[in-house]
Amino acid sequence: MEHMERLEKKRLEVLERIKPICEAFGITDYDYEIRETGQTETLRINKTRIGCSCNSISAVIDELVGYIFLMRWRDRSLGAFSVQTTNAIKRYWIK
């Protein structure tokens, strides 16, 4: 199977797996984008882009859960290590 075909298959599987999670949290604008070169995979949730190149499907789901956590916990403290925790969750977010 060609590289781009494998990535397209992965894209469809990722979208299938994250759909119920997104629906549960009211997220309707999301995609798993693959560049034409096949070298860049990006999870897009609303306007946030998260680098997921070479990630397993499970790791992509972890990135989605991290995004949801930060968006839901927005105005609450994460304690003494709030900045470090937020930075760790956002480490692959593309600015």
Side-chain angles (χ1 to χ4, degrees):
M1 186 182 286
E2 186 182 318
H3 179 66
M4 287 304 292
E5 289 174 348
R6 279 192 304 262
L7 288 176
E8 184 58 30
K9 183 179 177 185
K10 177 182 178 182
R11 177 183 177 270
L12 295 174
E13 188 171 346
V14 165
L15 291 173
E16 180 182 319
R17 298 275 301 274
I18 68 173
K19 181 180 179 181
I21 301 167
C22 290
E23 286 177 348
F25 287 93
I27 300 169
T28 57
D29 185 15
Y30 62 92
D31 196 4
Y32 192 71
E33 302 169 343
I34 299 171
R35 282 223 160 159
E36 293 174 11
T37 60
Q39 295 179 352
T40 305
E41 302 169 49
T42 306
L43 175 62
R44 184 187 51 77
I45 311 162
N46 298 314
K47 293 183 180 184
T48 301
R49 288 183 147 61
I50 304 170
C52 292
S53 297
C54 300
N55 278 8
S56 67
I57 293 170
S58 177
V60 175
I61 293 169
D62 291 347
E63 294 294 342
L64 172 61
V65 170
Y67 170 87
I68 291 169
F69 174 74
L70 289 181
M71 295 302 110
R72 298 288 301 191
W73 200 262
R74 188 174 319 185
D75 296 324
R76 295 184 206 129
S77 172
L78 291 171
F81 296 101
S82 181
V83 172
Q84 295 89 334
T85 301
T86 301
N87 287 342
I89 292 171
K90 295 171 92 174
R91 73 180 161 259
Y92 298 115
W93 292 23
I94 301 166
K95 296 179 183 184

